[in-house]
Short mmCIF file of all heavy atoms in Angstrom, two decimals:
data_model
loop_
_atom_site.label_atom_id
_atom_site.label_comp_id
_atom_site.label_asym_id
_atom_site.label_seq_id
_atom_site.Cartn_x
_atom_site.Cartn_y
_atom_site.Cartn_z
N GLU A 27 -0.30 -56.69 278.39
CA GLU A 27 -1.58 -57.03 277.79
C GLU A 27 -1.44 -58.38 277.11
O GLU A 27 -0.42 -58.68 276.51
CB GLU A 27 -2.00 -55.97 276.78
CG GLU A 27 -3.28 -56.31 276.07
CD GLU A 27 -3.65 -55.28 275.02
OE1 GLU A 27 -2.78 -54.55 274.54
OE2 GLU A 27 -4.83 -55.25 274.68
N THR A 28 -2.48 -59.17 277.21
CA THR A 28 -2.49 -60.48 276.58
C THR A 28 -3.91 -60.77 276.11
O THR A 28 -4.84 -60.08 276.46
CB THR A 28 -1.98 -61.56 277.55
OG1 THR A 28 -1.82 -62.77 276.85
CG2 THR A 28 -2.91 -61.73 278.73
N ALA A 29 -4.04 -61.79 275.32
CA ALA A 29 -5.36 -62.18 274.83
C ALA A 29 -5.30 -63.61 274.32
O ALA A 29 -4.24 -64.14 274.01
CB ALA A 29 -5.83 -61.27 273.71
N SER A 30 -6.44 -64.23 274.26
CA SER A 30 -6.59 -65.55 273.68
C SER A 30 -8.01 -65.61 273.14
O SER A 30 -8.94 -65.14 273.80
CB SER A 30 -6.38 -66.64 274.72
OG SER A 30 -6.58 -67.92 274.16
N GLN A 31 -8.17 -66.16 271.98
CA GLN A 31 -9.52 -66.26 271.43
C GLN A 31 -10.36 -67.11 272.36
O GLN A 31 -10.02 -68.26 272.64
CB GLN A 31 -9.48 -66.84 270.03
CG GLN A 31 -8.78 -65.93 269.04
CD GLN A 31 -8.77 -66.52 267.66
OE1 GLN A 31 -9.75 -67.11 267.23
NE2 GLN A 31 -7.67 -66.37 266.97
N THR A 32 -11.43 -66.54 272.85
CA THR A 32 -12.22 -67.23 273.88
C THR A 32 -12.91 -68.50 273.42
O THR A 32 -13.16 -69.37 274.25
CB THR A 32 -13.23 -66.28 274.53
OG1 THR A 32 -13.99 -65.64 273.53
CG2 THR A 32 -12.52 -65.25 275.38
N PRO A 33 -13.22 -68.69 272.13
CA PRO A 33 -13.82 -69.97 271.77
C PRO A 33 -12.85 -71.17 271.90
O PRO A 33 -13.28 -72.31 271.92
CB PRO A 33 -14.23 -69.79 270.30
CG PRO A 33 -14.37 -68.32 270.13
CD PRO A 33 -13.32 -67.73 271.03
N LEU A 34 -11.55 -70.91 272.00
CA LEU A 34 -10.59 -72.00 272.10
C LEU A 34 -10.74 -72.70 273.44
O LEU A 34 -10.82 -72.07 274.49
CB LEU A 34 -9.16 -71.47 271.95
CG LEU A 34 -8.84 -70.77 270.63
CD1 LEU A 34 -7.43 -70.20 270.66
CD2 LEU A 34 -9.00 -71.73 269.47
N SER A 35 -10.72 -74.03 273.44
CA SER A 35 -10.95 -74.79 274.67
C SER A 35 -9.83 -74.60 275.69
O SER A 35 -10.06 -74.75 276.88
CB SER A 35 -11.10 -76.27 274.34
OG SER A 35 -9.91 -76.77 273.74
N GLN A 36 -8.63 -74.26 275.25
CA GLN A 36 -7.52 -74.09 276.20
C GLN A 36 -7.47 -72.71 276.85
O GLN A 36 -6.70 -72.49 277.78
CB GLN A 36 -6.18 -74.42 275.54
CG GLN A 36 -5.76 -73.49 274.44
CD GLN A 36 -6.19 -73.96 273.06
OE1 GLN A 36 -7.24 -74.56 272.89
NE2 GLN A 36 -5.39 -73.67 272.06
N THR A 37 -8.32 -71.79 276.41
CA THR A 37 -8.27 -70.43 276.96
C THR A 37 -8.47 -70.38 278.47
O THR A 37 -7.71 -69.71 279.16
CB THR A 37 -9.27 -69.52 276.22
OG1 THR A 37 -8.85 -69.41 274.85
CG2 THR A 37 -9.32 -68.12 276.83
N PRO A 38 -9.46 -71.06 279.07
CA PRO A 38 -9.60 -70.98 280.53
C PRO A 38 -8.35 -71.46 281.28
O PRO A 38 -7.92 -70.80 282.23
CB PRO A 38 -10.80 -71.89 280.83
CG PRO A 38 -11.61 -71.83 279.57
CD PRO A 38 -10.59 -71.79 278.47
N ALA A 39 -7.75 -72.54 280.85
CA ALA A 39 -6.53 -73.03 281.52
C ALA A 39 -5.38 -72.05 281.34
O ALA A 39 -4.58 -71.84 282.26
CB ALA A 39 -6.14 -74.40 280.98
N TRP A 40 -5.31 -71.46 280.18
CA TRP A 40 -4.26 -70.48 279.91
C TRP A 40 -4.42 -69.28 280.84
O TRP A 40 -3.45 -68.79 281.41
CB TRP A 40 -4.37 -70.08 278.43
CG TRP A 40 -3.30 -69.21 277.91
CD1 TRP A 40 -1.99 -69.54 277.73
CD2 TRP A 40 -3.44 -67.86 277.47
NE1 TRP A 40 -1.32 -68.47 277.19
CE2 TRP A 40 -2.19 -67.42 277.03
CE3 TRP A 40 -4.53 -66.98 277.39
CZ2 TRP A 40 -1.97 -66.15 276.53
CZ3 TRP A 40 -4.30 -65.72 276.89
CH2 TRP A 40 -3.04 -65.32 276.46
N ILE A 41 -5.66 -68.83 281.03
CA ILE A 41 -5.92 -67.71 281.94
C ILE A 41 -5.59 -68.11 283.37
O ILE A 41 -4.99 -67.34 284.12
CB ILE A 41 -7.38 -67.23 281.80
CG1 ILE A 41 -7.59 -66.59 280.43
CG2 ILE A 41 -7.74 -66.25 282.92
CD1 ILE A 41 -9.04 -66.29 280.10
N GLN A 42 -5.97 -69.32 283.78
CA GLN A 42 -5.68 -69.79 285.14
C GLN A 42 -4.18 -69.82 285.43
O GLN A 42 -3.76 -69.63 286.56
CB GLN A 42 -6.28 -71.17 285.36
CG GLN A 42 -7.78 -71.15 285.44
CD GLN A 42 -8.40 -72.54 285.43
OE1 GLN A 42 -7.77 -73.50 284.99
NE2 GLN A 42 -9.64 -72.63 285.87
N ALA A 43 -3.38 -70.03 284.41
CA ALA A 43 -1.93 -70.09 284.59
C ALA A 43 -1.31 -68.72 284.87
O ALA A 43 -0.18 -68.64 285.33
CB ALA A 43 -1.28 -70.71 283.36
N TYR A 44 -2.05 -67.63 284.61
CA TYR A 44 -1.52 -66.29 284.86
C TYR A 44 -1.04 -66.11 286.30
O TYR A 44 -0.01 -65.51 286.54
CB TYR A 44 -2.58 -65.21 284.63
CG TYR A 44 -3.00 -64.92 283.24
CD1 TYR A 44 -4.10 -64.10 283.03
CD2 TYR A 44 -2.36 -65.45 282.13
CE1 TYR A 44 -4.53 -63.80 281.75
CE2 TYR A 44 -2.79 -65.16 280.86
CZ TYR A 44 -3.88 -64.33 280.67
OH TYR A 44 -4.31 -64.03 279.42
N GLY A 45 -1.82 -66.60 287.25
CA GLY A 45 -1.50 -66.38 288.66
C GLY A 45 -0.14 -66.94 289.04
O GLY A 45 0.68 -66.25 289.64
N SER A 46 0.12 -68.19 288.69
CA SER A 46 1.42 -68.77 289.02
C SER A 46 2.53 -68.12 288.22
O SER A 46 3.64 -67.92 288.72
CB SER A 46 1.41 -70.29 288.82
OG SER A 46 1.14 -70.62 287.48
N TRP A 47 2.25 -67.77 286.97
CA TRP A 47 3.25 -67.08 286.16
C TRP A 47 3.61 -65.74 286.80
O TRP A 47 4.78 -65.39 286.92
CB TRP A 47 2.75 -66.88 284.73
CG TRP A 47 3.75 -66.17 283.87
CD1 TRP A 47 4.77 -66.74 283.17
CD2 TRP A 47 3.84 -64.76 283.67
NE1 TRP A 47 5.49 -65.75 282.52
CE2 TRP A 47 4.93 -64.53 282.82
CE3 TRP A 47 3.10 -63.67 284.12
CZ2 TRP A 47 5.31 -63.26 282.41
CZ3 TRP A 47 3.47 -62.40 283.71
CH2 TRP A 47 4.57 -62.21 282.87
N ALA A 48 2.61 -64.98 287.22
CA ALA A 48 2.85 -63.68 287.84
C ALA A 48 3.64 -63.82 289.13
O ALA A 48 4.52 -63.01 289.42
CB ALA A 48 1.53 -62.95 288.09
N ALA A 49 3.36 -64.86 289.91
CA ALA A 49 4.09 -65.09 291.15
C ALA A 49 5.57 -65.36 290.88
O ALA A 49 6.43 -64.99 291.67
CB ALA A 49 3.48 -66.25 291.92
N GLN A 50 5.87 -65.97 289.75
CA GLN A 50 7.26 -66.27 289.39
C GLN A 50 7.93 -65.09 288.69
O GLN A 50 9.14 -65.14 288.43
CB GLN A 50 7.30 -67.49 288.47
CG GLN A 50 6.84 -68.75 289.14
CD GLN A 50 6.67 -69.90 288.16
OE1 GLN A 50 7.08 -69.82 287.01
NE2 GLN A 50 6.08 -70.98 288.63
N ASN A 51 7.17 -64.06 288.36
CA ASN A 51 7.70 -62.89 287.66
C ASN A 51 7.27 -61.62 288.39
O ASN A 51 6.45 -60.84 287.88
CB ASN A 51 7.19 -62.88 286.21
CG ASN A 51 7.74 -64.03 285.42
OD1 ASN A 51 8.84 -63.96 284.90
ND2 ASN A 51 7.00 -65.12 285.36
N PRO A 52 7.81 -61.38 289.59
CA PRO A 52 7.35 -60.25 290.41
C PRO A 52 7.61 -58.88 289.79
O PRO A 52 7.03 -57.89 290.23
CB PRO A 52 8.10 -60.42 291.73
CG PRO A 52 9.30 -61.23 291.38
CD PRO A 52 8.87 -62.13 290.25
N GLN A 53 8.44 -58.82 288.77
CA GLN A 53 8.67 -57.54 288.10
C GLN A 53 7.44 -57.10 287.31
O GLN A 53 7.30 -55.91 287.00
CB GLN A 53 9.91 -57.60 287.19
CG GLN A 53 9.75 -58.43 285.94
CD GLN A 53 9.96 -59.95 286.10
OE1 GLN A 53 9.94 -60.48 287.21
NE2 GLN A 53 10.14 -60.63 284.99
N VAL A 54 6.54 -58.02 287.02
CA VAL A 54 5.30 -57.68 286.33
C VAL A 54 4.32 -57.13 287.35
O VAL A 54 4.03 -57.78 288.35
CB VAL A 54 4.71 -58.92 285.61
CG1 VAL A 54 3.36 -58.60 285.00
CG2 VAL A 54 5.67 -59.43 284.56
N LYS A 55 3.84 -55.94 287.11
CA LYS A 55 2.97 -55.26 288.08
C LYS A 55 1.49 -55.30 287.71
O LYS A 55 0.64 -54.98 288.52
CB LYS A 55 3.40 -53.80 288.24
CG LYS A 55 4.84 -53.64 288.68
CD LYS A 55 5.08 -54.30 290.02
CE LYS A 55 6.52 -54.12 290.47
NZ LYS A 55 6.92 -55.06 291.47
N ALA A 56 1.17 -55.70 286.49
CA ALA A 56 -0.24 -55.74 286.08
C ALA A 56 -0.40 -56.72 284.92
O ALA A 56 0.54 -56.94 284.15
CB ALA A 56 -0.71 -54.36 285.65
N ILE A 57 -1.57 -57.29 284.85
CA ILE A 57 -1.94 -58.14 283.73
C ILE A 57 -3.28 -57.63 283.22
O ILE A 57 -4.23 -57.49 283.99
CB ILE A 57 -2.07 -59.62 284.14
CG1 ILE A 57 -0.73 -60.17 284.62
CG2 ILE A 57 -2.60 -60.46 282.99
CD1 ILE A 57 -0.81 -61.56 285.22
N THR A 58 -3.35 -57.34 281.95
CA THR A 58 -4.62 -56.94 281.35
C THR A 58 -4.97 -57.92 280.25
O THR A 58 -4.10 -58.64 279.75
CB THR A 58 -4.56 -55.52 280.77
OG1 THR A 58 -3.58 -55.48 279.73
CG2 THR A 58 -4.21 -54.50 281.85
N PHE A 59 -6.21 -57.97 279.90
CA PHE A 59 -6.68 -58.90 278.89
C PHE A 59 -7.42 -58.12 277.82
O PHE A 59 -8.35 -57.38 278.11
CB PHE A 59 -7.61 -59.94 279.52
CG PHE A 59 -7.87 -61.12 278.64
CD1 PHE A 59 -7.05 -62.23 278.69
CD2 PHE A 59 -8.94 -61.13 277.75
CE1 PHE A 59 -7.29 -63.33 277.87
CE2 PHE A 59 -9.19 -62.21 276.93
CZ PHE A 59 -8.36 -63.32 276.99
N PHE A 60 -6.99 -58.27 276.57
CA PHE A 60 -7.63 -57.65 275.42
C PHE A 60 -8.99 -58.32 275.26
O PHE A 60 -9.06 -59.52 275.04
CB PHE A 60 -6.74 -57.86 274.20
CG PHE A 60 -7.23 -57.21 272.94
CD1 PHE A 60 -7.13 -55.84 272.78
CD2 PHE A 60 -7.77 -57.96 271.92
CE1 PHE A 60 -7.57 -55.23 271.61
CE2 PHE A 60 -8.22 -57.37 270.75
CZ PHE A 60 -8.11 -56.00 270.59
N ASP A 61 -10.08 -57.57 275.39
CA ASP A 61 -11.40 -58.17 275.56
C ASP A 61 -12.45 -57.88 274.48
O ASP A 61 -13.59 -58.25 274.65
CB ASP A 61 -11.94 -57.74 276.93
CG ASP A 61 -13.18 -58.48 277.35
OD1 ASP A 61 -13.23 -59.71 277.23
OD2 ASP A 61 -14.12 -57.81 277.80
N PRO A 62 -12.15 -57.26 273.34
CA PRO A 62 -13.19 -57.03 272.35
C PRO A 62 -13.16 -58.05 271.21
O PRO A 62 -12.40 -59.02 271.24
CB PRO A 62 -12.85 -55.64 271.81
CG PRO A 62 -11.36 -55.62 271.84
CD PRO A 62 -10.98 -56.42 273.08
N ILE A 63 -13.95 -57.80 270.23
CA ILE A 63 -13.83 -58.52 268.96
C ILE A 63 -12.86 -57.68 268.13
O ILE A 63 -13.02 -56.46 268.00
CB ILE A 63 -15.19 -58.65 268.25
CG1 ILE A 63 -16.12 -59.53 269.10
CG2 ILE A 63 -15.02 -59.23 266.86
CD1 ILE A 63 -17.52 -59.65 268.56
N SER A 64 -11.83 -58.31 267.59
CA SER A 64 -10.80 -57.58 266.85
C SER A 64 -11.33 -57.09 265.50
O SER A 64 -12.35 -57.57 265.02
CB SER A 64 -9.59 -58.48 266.62
OG SER A 64 -9.85 -59.39 265.57
N PRO A 65 -10.63 -56.14 264.88
CA PRO A 65 -11.04 -55.68 263.56
C PRO A 65 -11.10 -56.81 262.52
O PRO A 65 -11.85 -56.72 261.55
CB PRO A 65 -9.96 -54.65 263.19
CG PRO A 65 -9.47 -54.15 264.50
CD PRO A 65 -9.51 -55.35 265.41
N LYS A 66 -10.34 -57.86 262.75
CA LYS A 66 -10.37 -59.01 261.83
C LYS A 66 -11.47 -60.01 262.19
O LYS A 66 -11.60 -61.05 261.55
CB LYS A 66 -9.02 -59.71 261.81
CG LYS A 66 -7.93 -58.85 261.18
CD LYS A 66 -6.64 -59.61 261.09
CE LYS A 66 -5.58 -58.76 260.40
NZ LYS A 66 -4.32 -59.48 260.27
N GLY A 67 -12.24 -59.73 263.24
CA GLY A 67 -13.35 -60.58 263.62
C GLY A 67 -13.03 -61.65 264.64
O GLY A 67 -13.89 -62.48 264.95
N TYR A 68 -11.81 -61.66 265.21
CA TYR A 68 -11.47 -62.64 266.24
C TYR A 68 -12.15 -62.24 267.55
O TYR A 68 -12.10 -61.09 267.96
CB TYR A 68 -9.96 -62.74 266.43
CG TYR A 68 -9.23 -63.16 265.19
CD1 TYR A 68 -8.32 -62.31 264.58
CD2 TYR A 68 -9.45 -64.41 264.61
CE1 TYR A 68 -7.63 -62.69 263.43
CE2 TYR A 68 -8.78 -64.79 263.47
CZ TYR A 68 -7.87 -63.94 262.89
OH TYR A 68 -7.21 -64.32 261.76
N ASP A 69 -12.77 -63.21 268.21
CA ASP A 69 -13.53 -62.94 269.43
C ASP A 69 -12.65 -63.16 270.65
O ASP A 69 -12.29 -64.29 270.97
CB ASP A 69 -14.76 -63.84 269.49
CG ASP A 69 -15.73 -63.44 270.57
OD1 ASP A 69 -15.41 -62.53 271.37
OD2 ASP A 69 -16.82 -64.02 270.61
N PHE A 70 -12.29 -62.09 271.33
CA PHE A 70 -11.48 -62.15 272.54
C PHE A 70 -12.31 -61.86 273.79
O PHE A 70 -11.77 -61.79 274.88
CB PHE A 70 -10.32 -61.15 272.46
CG PHE A 70 -9.35 -61.44 271.36
CD1 PHE A 70 -9.37 -60.71 270.19
CD2 PHE A 70 -8.41 -62.44 271.50
CE1 PHE A 70 -8.46 -60.98 269.18
CE2 PHE A 70 -7.50 -62.72 270.49
CZ PHE A 70 -7.53 -61.98 269.33
N ARG A 71 -13.63 -61.69 273.63
CA ARG A 71 -14.47 -61.30 274.77
C ARG A 71 -14.54 -62.42 275.80
O ARG A 71 -14.88 -63.56 275.48
CB ARG A 71 -15.88 -60.96 274.30
CG ARG A 71 -15.93 -59.77 273.37
CD ARG A 71 -17.30 -59.61 272.75
NE ARG A 71 -17.63 -60.86 272.05
CZ ARG A 71 -18.87 -61.33 271.92
NH1 ARG A 71 -19.88 -60.68 272.43
NH2 ARG A 71 -19.08 -62.46 271.28
N LEU A 72 -14.24 -62.09 277.04
CA LEU A 72 -14.30 -63.08 278.10
C LEU A 72 -15.73 -63.57 278.33
O LEU A 72 -15.95 -64.74 278.60
CB LEU A 72 -13.72 -62.51 279.40
CG LEU A 72 -12.21 -62.30 279.38
CD1 LEU A 72 -11.78 -61.50 280.59
CD2 LEU A 72 -11.50 -63.64 279.32
N GLU A 73 -16.70 -62.66 278.20
CA GLU A 73 -18.09 -63.07 278.45
C GLU A 73 -18.61 -64.03 277.39
O GLU A 73 -19.66 -64.65 277.57
CB GLU A 73 -19.01 -61.85 278.59
CG GLU A 73 -19.16 -61.04 277.34
CD GLU A 73 -18.16 -59.91 277.19
OE1 GLU A 73 -17.17 -59.86 277.93
OE2 GLU A 73 -18.38 -59.06 276.32
N ALA A 74 -17.89 -64.21 276.29
CA ALA A 74 -18.31 -65.15 275.26
C ALA A 74 -18.06 -66.60 275.67
O ALA A 74 -18.59 -67.53 275.06
CB ALA A 74 -17.57 -64.86 273.94
N ASN A 75 -17.26 -66.80 276.71
CA ASN A 75 -16.96 -68.15 277.19
C ASN A 75 -17.04 -68.12 278.72
O ASN A 75 -16.15 -67.61 279.38
CB ASN A 75 -15.55 -68.55 276.74
CG ASN A 75 -15.13 -69.93 277.19
OD1 ASN A 75 -15.64 -70.46 278.17
ND2 ASN A 75 -14.19 -70.52 276.48
N PRO A 76 -18.11 -68.66 279.31
CA PRO A 76 -18.27 -68.60 280.76
C PRO A 76 -17.09 -69.17 281.54
O PRO A 76 -16.73 -68.64 282.59
CB PRO A 76 -19.55 -69.41 281.02
CG PRO A 76 -20.32 -69.30 279.74
CD PRO A 76 -19.27 -69.28 278.65
N ALA A 77 -16.45 -70.22 281.03
CA ALA A 77 -15.30 -70.80 281.73
C ALA A 77 -14.11 -69.85 281.70
O ALA A 77 -13.37 -69.73 282.69
CB ALA A 77 -14.92 -72.14 281.12
N ALA A 78 -13.91 -69.14 280.60
CA ALA A 78 -12.82 -68.17 280.51
C ALA A 78 -13.09 -66.99 281.44
O ALA A 78 -12.18 -66.51 282.13
CB ALA A 78 -12.65 -67.68 279.07
N LEU A 79 -14.32 -66.53 281.49
CA LEU A 79 -14.67 -65.42 282.38
C LEU A 79 -14.48 -65.83 283.84
O LEU A 79 -13.92 -65.07 284.64
CB LEU A 79 -16.11 -64.98 282.14
CG LEU A 79 -16.60 -63.81 282.97
CD1 LEU A 79 -15.73 -62.58 282.76
CD2 LEU A 79 -18.06 -63.51 282.63
N ALA A 80 -14.89 -67.04 284.20
CA ALA A 80 -14.72 -67.52 285.58
C ALA A 80 -13.23 -67.65 285.92
O ALA A 80 -12.83 -67.30 287.04
CB ALA A 80 -15.42 -68.87 285.75
N ALA A 81 -12.43 -68.11 284.98
CA ALA A 81 -10.99 -68.23 285.21
C ALA A 81 -10.37 -66.86 285.46
O ALA A 81 -9.56 -66.69 286.37
CB ALA A 81 -10.31 -68.92 284.03
N TYR A 82 -10.77 -65.89 284.66
CA TYR A 82 -10.24 -64.53 284.82
C TYR A 82 -10.69 -63.94 286.15
O TYR A 82 -9.90 -63.34 286.88
CB TYR A 82 -10.67 -63.65 283.66
CG TYR A 82 -9.95 -62.34 283.61
CD1 TYR A 82 -8.63 -62.26 283.17
CD2 TYR A 82 -10.57 -61.17 284.02
CE1 TYR A 82 -7.97 -61.04 283.13
CE2 TYR A 82 -9.92 -59.95 283.98
CZ TYR A 82 -8.61 -59.90 283.54
OH TYR A 82 -7.96 -58.69 283.51
N ALA A 83 -11.95 -64.12 286.51
CA ALA A 83 -12.47 -63.60 287.77
C ALA A 83 -11.76 -64.23 288.97
O ALA A 83 -11.52 -63.56 289.97
CB ALA A 83 -13.97 -63.83 287.86
N SER A 84 -11.39 -65.50 288.86
CA SER A 84 -10.74 -66.18 289.98
C SER A 84 -9.33 -65.68 290.24
O SER A 84 -8.79 -65.87 291.33
CB SER A 84 -10.72 -67.69 289.76
OG SER A 84 -9.79 -68.05 288.76
N LEU A 85 -8.72 -65.00 289.27
CA LEU A 85 -7.38 -64.45 289.50
C LEU A 85 -7.37 -63.47 290.67
O LEU A 85 -6.40 -63.38 291.41
CB LEU A 85 -6.86 -63.72 288.25
CG LEU A 85 -6.43 -64.59 287.09
CD1 LEU A 85 -6.03 -63.71 285.92
CD2 LEU A 85 -5.30 -65.51 287.48
N GLY A 86 -8.46 -62.76 290.84
CA GLY A 86 -8.54 -61.80 291.94
C GLY A 86 -8.53 -62.45 293.31
O GLY A 86 -8.28 -61.79 294.32
N GLN A 87 -8.77 -63.76 293.37
CA GLN A 87 -8.76 -64.48 294.63
C GLN A 87 -7.39 -65.05 294.97
O GLN A 87 -7.18 -65.54 296.07
CB GLN A 87 -9.81 -65.61 294.59
CG GLN A 87 -11.20 -65.14 294.25
CD GLN A 87 -11.71 -64.10 295.23
OE1 GLN A 87 -11.60 -64.24 296.43
NE2 GLN A 87 -12.25 -63.01 294.69
N GLU A 88 -6.47 -65.03 294.03
CA GLU A 88 -5.15 -65.59 294.26
C GLU A 88 -4.28 -64.60 295.02
O GLU A 88 -4.42 -63.39 294.86
CB GLU A 88 -4.48 -65.96 292.93
CG GLU A 88 -5.19 -67.09 292.22
CD GLU A 88 -4.43 -67.61 291.03
OE1 GLU A 88 -3.20 -67.45 290.98
OE2 GLU A 88 -5.08 -68.19 290.14
N SER A 89 -3.37 -65.15 295.84
CA SER A 89 -2.49 -64.26 296.59
C SER A 89 -1.62 -63.49 295.61
O SER A 89 -1.18 -64.00 294.59
CB SER A 89 -1.62 -65.07 297.55
OG SER A 89 -0.77 -65.94 296.83
N GLY A 90 -1.42 -62.25 295.90
CA GLY A 90 -0.60 -61.40 295.04
C GLY A 90 -1.36 -60.76 293.91
O GLY A 90 -0.83 -59.94 293.19
N MET A 91 -2.62 -61.11 293.73
CA MET A 91 -3.42 -60.53 292.66
C MET A 91 -4.53 -59.69 293.30
O MET A 91 -5.10 -60.06 294.30
CB MET A 91 -4.06 -61.62 291.80
CG MET A 91 -3.05 -62.52 291.13
SD MET A 91 -2.05 -61.67 289.92
CE MET A 91 -2.96 -62.03 288.46
N THR A 92 -4.83 -58.59 292.66
CA THR A 92 -5.92 -57.73 293.11
C THR A 92 -6.84 -57.50 291.92
O THR A 92 -6.38 -57.05 290.87
CB THR A 92 -5.39 -56.38 293.62
OG1 THR A 92 -4.47 -56.63 294.67
CG2 THR A 92 -6.51 -55.50 294.12
N ALA A 93 -8.09 -57.84 292.07
CA ALA A 93 -9.05 -57.64 290.99
C ALA A 93 -9.41 -56.17 290.88
O ALA A 93 -9.49 -55.46 291.89
CB ALA A 93 -10.30 -58.46 291.25
N MET A 94 -9.61 -55.72 289.68
CA MET A 94 -10.08 -54.36 289.47
C MET A 94 -11.56 -54.30 289.82
O MET A 94 -12.27 -55.30 289.65
CB MET A 94 -9.87 -53.95 288.02
CG MET A 94 -8.41 -53.82 287.63
SD MET A 94 -8.17 -53.32 285.92
CE MET A 94 -8.97 -51.74 285.91
N PRO A 95 -12.04 -53.17 290.27
CA PRO A 95 -13.46 -53.07 290.58
C PRO A 95 -14.30 -53.22 289.31
O PRO A 95 -13.86 -52.84 288.22
CB PRO A 95 -13.62 -51.69 291.20
CG PRO A 95 -12.37 -50.96 290.88
CD PRO A 95 -11.30 -51.96 290.55
N ALA A 96 -15.46 -53.77 289.45
CA ALA A 96 -16.37 -53.94 288.31
C ALA A 96 -16.84 -52.58 287.83
O ALA A 96 -16.99 -51.64 288.62
CB ALA A 96 -17.56 -54.79 288.72
N THR A 97 -17.05 -52.48 286.55
CA THR A 97 -17.60 -51.26 285.99
C THR A 97 -19.06 -51.47 285.68
O THR A 97 -19.47 -52.59 285.32
CB THR A 97 -16.84 -50.84 284.71
OG1 THR A 97 -16.90 -51.91 283.78
CG2 THR A 97 -15.39 -50.51 285.01
N PRO A 98 -19.86 -50.42 285.82
CA PRO A 98 -21.30 -50.59 285.57
C PRO A 98 -21.61 -50.86 284.11
O PRO A 98 -20.94 -50.66 283.22
CB PRO A 98 -21.90 -49.28 286.01
CG PRO A 98 -20.78 -48.34 286.27
CD PRO A 98 -19.52 -49.12 286.25
#
């Protein structure tokens, strides 16, 4: 599990780097992203930053990555 505050400008690039990192670390079988607002008020929601959400969605298109099905 990982997270980055979505208002940060570097969050989309950080998310995009997951794919190459995962390819270099085949022992890792899954990557999840902590996605709520924390009890301390930090915003980790991907939908709060369209570029971060797009970066996360694009991971499913990379070789070796499988996107989870969307939930209603």
Side-chain angles (χ1 to χ4, degrees):
E27 177 183 22
T28 189
S30 178
Q31 294 181 40
T32 52
L34 300 176
S35 62
Q36 65 268 33
T37 295
W40 187 68
I41 292 171
Q42 289 170 340
Y44 289 170
S46 61
W47 180 87
Q50 295 170 10
N51 295 276
Q53 71 277 17
V54 175
K55 302 299 181 200
I57 297 172
T58 62
F59 194 90
F60 183 75
D61 190 46
I63 296 176
S64 77
K66 292 184 177 181
Y68 300 117
D69 191 353
F70 296 103
R71 297 170 303 148
L72 290 169
E73 66 269 13
N75 180 336
L79 182 58
Y82 191 76
S84 73
L85 287 177
Q87 304 302 313
E88 294 189 24
S89 64
M91 299 294 265
T92 303
M94 293 180 62
T97 57

